[in-house]
Amino acid sequence: MLCKASHDVSCPRFLSRFGPTNAKTAHRHSSARGSMKRTLPPESLQDIASQLAQAHKAFQSRYPGATGARQPVHTVYGGAHLFRANTARRLGETALRSLDEFAPDFISFAKAISLPGAEQLLHSSDVLTQLAKSMESNPQTARKENPSAWFAHTIYRRVREKLQREPVEDFRIDFEDGYGNRPDAEEDGHAASTAGEVASGMSSGELPPFIGIRIKPFTEELRDRSIRTLDVFLTELAAKTRGKLPENFFITLPKVTLPEEVSALADLCSRLEFALQLDPGALRFELMIETTQSIFNERGEVNLIPLVAAGRGRCVAAHFGTYDYTAGRNITAAYQHMTHFACDFAREVMQVALADTGIWLGDGATNILPVPPRRSGKDGSPLTARQLAENRAAVHQAWKLHFQHIRHSLVNGYYQGWDLHPAQLVTRYAAVYSFFLEGLDAASERLRNFIGKAAQATLVGEVFDDAATGQGLLNYFLRAINCGAVSTEEAQSLTGLTLAELRAASFVKILENRKR
């Protein structure tokens, strides 16, 4: 304990702790602050501050946070033997035909997937015509007077527009489960031909915004085949495009268990880049978390950070594989589904371990597909009314399940998932759009208020240290804009942000701009 008059620089205990020079400094500091007395002068804390600054710098490098770059809302997987340059467009056309056949208007679609307020909508041709006219002539008034109809109409219209404009955001040419094990000569041929299709799609502009290939796992049995497919594909693609890759090209490594597997893929990417004269770091990949060992290693430690770190900066995403993971947990087939507690647990571990690392997270797929069970006869005879009803019920049931699974993912912070069938594109966008539109007004008000308070604080010299919350709100709008749920003009009007501020994708930059 210090002497009672702790500001007395002649106090022996004060002198023994700080020495004559620091003691005088402390006394001056105490006097400068009036009656507020301190024991430790700021100069004596520089070593502690330096240690913390270094630790925080290292922490920021490990956890840089979201980049603001566009993340696709889904990845569509399709067998490599079926891929063509125009696959994305053909998938969109198939999705639109399914929508036209099984939900030809916004009310029937809203009821099929149980959109909020759908049960209140009357389904008749007169009501449809009247509502559609009111929505198109004065949408703001219609939104206030009949919010359920406005919501259903808006979702339906924007889903159709998306399927026509950009039906697939991300596609993975699959050489694994969707392709199977084939003779080497056949897989070599498909590796070369798909590279040619990608090159053709690059030239024609028909590729989706994100694309890549899924190779086989790096197990002892399949490693050589996996590496060979990757080599053949990239060699052919580089030859046809003069060393250019699609803008957002990713390699997917499935069933990862060990960091050494990821490290091996990183080494292969480095060698292929050098040999094919690709830009260093051009080859990036994502990991599929499908095994229990990818969650916890043999020491009981969370394995996700070591797996990502083994990629040496090339890993951009981690995708959860529902069915392989639940099978590895000895869960029987009847209970292997997206919302099983085992899946929620694994996804939560993934999310906590990889939060703020900048690694995108993706969820699994719904394997009950919206496919009608009845087909017209071989002689072209039409289906009966009962058979048509059975088809409609089956598709609606599968749509509703898919919609619910996507909602479950979104609510839990997973903004990307797998789709396996073109008719699932319908409910993918419906679920994503409804999720963002439902919270649009509340998020808009929060962001406006948040920016106003934060900008005022920085303007008067106060420290505003809750930028993460502001960035989270901004990311909400960035995701909504990127996928087409909200237009840029709507976001500007609702948030008060300029187009430049939205494009900057940084809450901190917005505050700096407002301060200036």
Side-chain angles (χ1 to χ4, degrees):
M1 180 176 178
L2 292 178
C3 296
K4 187 173 182 180
S6 60
H7 60 280
D8 185 354
V9 297
S10 65
C11 170
R13 292 183 181 178
F14 200 75
L15 287 171
S16 65
R17 177 168 294 192
F18 301 114
T21 302
N22 285 343
K24 291 177 182 178
T25 302
H27 177 246
R28 286 199 303 271
H29 185 75
S30 177
S31 299
R33 293 294 178 91
S35 60
M36 186 63 68
K37 299 177 182 179
R38 289 185 58 174
T39 299
L40 301 176
E43 292 81 359
S44 71
L45 304 175
Q46 289 180 354
D47 58 333
I48 295 176
S50 178
Q51 292 172 11
L52 276 176
Q54 293 178 16
H56 286 146
K57 185 177 180 180
F59 180 88
Q60 288 297 326
S61 68
R62 291 193 299 268
Y63 300 100
T67 64
R70 178 184 180 182
Q71 179 182 2
V73 300
H74 68 169
T75 300
V76 180
Y77 285 75
H81 55 297
L82 302 174
F83 178 76
R84 300 293 182 271
N86 63 354
T87 287
R89 174 169 55 81
R90 289 190 291 111
L91 289 173
E93 290 168 352
T94 303
L96 280 168
R97 285 197 297 270
S98 180
L99 189 58
D100 288 338
E101 182 176 359
F102 299 108
D105 59 76
F106 72 92
I107 293 181
S108 61
F109 185 58
K111 290 181 178 295
I113 60 176
S114 296
L115 280 180
E119 69 282 355
Q120 303 171 9
L121 300 176
L122 298 176
H123 195 198
S124 70
S125 57
D126 291 340
V127 171
L128 277 168
T129 302
Q130 183 180 355
L131 286 175
K133 285 183 178 179
S134 65
M135 302 295 168
E136 293 167 6
S137 61
N138 197 337
Q140 294 305 318
T141 300
R143 183 179 185 182
K144 293 178 181 178
E145 295 179 352
N146 197 337
S148 297
W150 173 87
F151 188 75
H153 183 267
T154 301
I155 297 295
Y156 190 75
R157 179 172 51 83
R158 293 186 185 184
V159 167
R160 292 191 66 90
E161 186 275 334
K162 178 73 169 181
L163 293 175
Q164 293 166 347
R165 174 178 55 85
E166 189 184 73
V168 176
E169 293 197 0
D170 188 17
F171 191 89
R172 213 55 83 245
I173 303 167
D174 192 15
F175 285 93
E176 203 222 358
D177 287 345
Y179 181 76
N181 294 319
R182 299 167 184 251
D184 283 339
E186 186 176 356
E187 185 159 342
D188 286 347
H190 285 139
S193 65
T194 53
E197 293 292 336
V198 170
S200 177
M202 290 173 64
S203 178
S204 65
E206 289 191 283
L207 295 183
F210 299 79
I211 195 168
I213 69 167
R214 179 164 72 165
I215 55 179
K216 289 178 168 61
F218 276 8
T219 60
E220 289 301 302
E221 297 81 9
L222 297 172
R223 178 190 63 232
D224 292 343
R225 178 63 263 182
S226 181
I227 294 172
R228 179 167 166 170
T229 298
L230 180 62
D231 190 344
V232 171
F233 177 89
L234 289 174
T235 300
E236 289 290 326
L237 181 60
K240 287 179 168 60
T241 63
R242 297 182 180 180
K244 292 184 178 180
L245 296 174
E247 185 175 354
N248 295 297
F249 177 81
F250 302 127
I251 301 162
T252 305
L253 182 64
K255 299 178 177 61
V256 176
T257 56
L258 300 169
E260 288 80 1
E261 295 171 344
V262 184
S263 180
L265 181 55
D267 289 339
L268 284 167
C269 289
S270 295
R271 296 184 187 186
L272 285 166
E273 286 168 351
F274 178 79
L276 299 174
Q277 298 183 341
L278 302 174
D279 292 336
L283 295 175
R284 297 173 293 167
F285 51 74
E286 57 194 14
L287 309 178
M288 299 207 65
I289 307 303
E290 303 177 88
T291 66
T292 56
Q293 293 82 11
S294 60
I295 301 293
F296 292 103
N297 63 21
E298 71 276 10
R299 295 180 298 277
E301 302 164 343
V302 175
N303 205 19
L304 293 154
I305 288 292
L307 289 174
V308 169
R312 301 194 294 279
R314 293 181 183 273
C315 181
V316 297
H319 291 257
F320 180 65
T322 305
Y323 304 102
D324 283 293
Y325 184 83
T326 49
R329 283 275 285 97
N330 292 318
I331 296 168
T332 60
Y335 298 98
Q336 292 179 4
H337 55 77
M338 289 277 289
T339 55
H340 194 287
F341 171 76
C343 297
D344 284 340
F345 173 78
R347 285 188 293 251
E348 182 68 12
V349 175
M350 289 174 63
Q351 203 163 34
V352 172
L354 298 176
D356 288 329
T357 60
I359 300 296
W360 290 340
L361 295 179
D363 210 345
T366 300
N367 63 353
I368 297 176
L369 305 179
V371 177
R374 301 285 188 176
R375 300 288 182 182
S376 58
K378 293 182 180 179
D379 58 354
S381 58
L383 297 177
T384 65
R386 181 176 178 179
Q387 290 171 329
L388 290 171
E390 289 175 355
N391 280 353
R392 190 180 306 107
V395 170
H396 286 188
Q397 185 177 7
W399 270 349
K400 187 174 181 179
L401 181 66
H402 188 227
F403 184 91
Q404 291 170 344
H405 284 173
I406 297 168
R407 289 281 306 192
H408 183 81
S409 299
L410 291 167
V411 167
N412 286 285
Y414 277 75
Y415 297 98
Q416 183 176 359
W418 302 0
D419 287 326
L420 305 175
H421 190 274
Q424 288 183 322
L425 301 179
V426 172
T427 32
R428 170 63 60 180
Y429 296 122
V432 171
Y433 290 4
S434 66
F435 175 80
F436 283 115
L437 288 178
E438 283 175 31
L440 188 61
D441 290 339
S444 302
E445 184 177 1
R446 284 190 66 198
L447 185 57
R448 284 196 307 270
N449 293 338
F450 208 75
I451 288 174
K453 292 176 182 177
Q456 181 63 30
T458 58
L459 190 64
V460 299
E462 296 177 7
V463 176
F464 186 81
D465 62 357
D466 200 12
T469 300
Q471 186 65 47
L473 286 167
L474 180 61
N475 288 344
Y476 172 95
F477 283 92
L478 294 174
R479 289 183 183 277
I481 292 169
N482 285 337
C483 70
V486 176
S487 68
T488 304
E489 292 75 18
E490 284 177 299
Q492 288 180 262
S493 174
L494 290 166
T495 63
L497 297 177
T498 67
L499 182 59
E501 287 173 328
L502 285 169
R503 285 178 174 169
S506 169
F507 184 75
V508 173
K509 290 181 180 178
I510 290 174
L511 292 188
E512 291 174 352
N513 180 56
R514 296 298 173 96
K515 185 177 181 180
R516 288 195 299 268

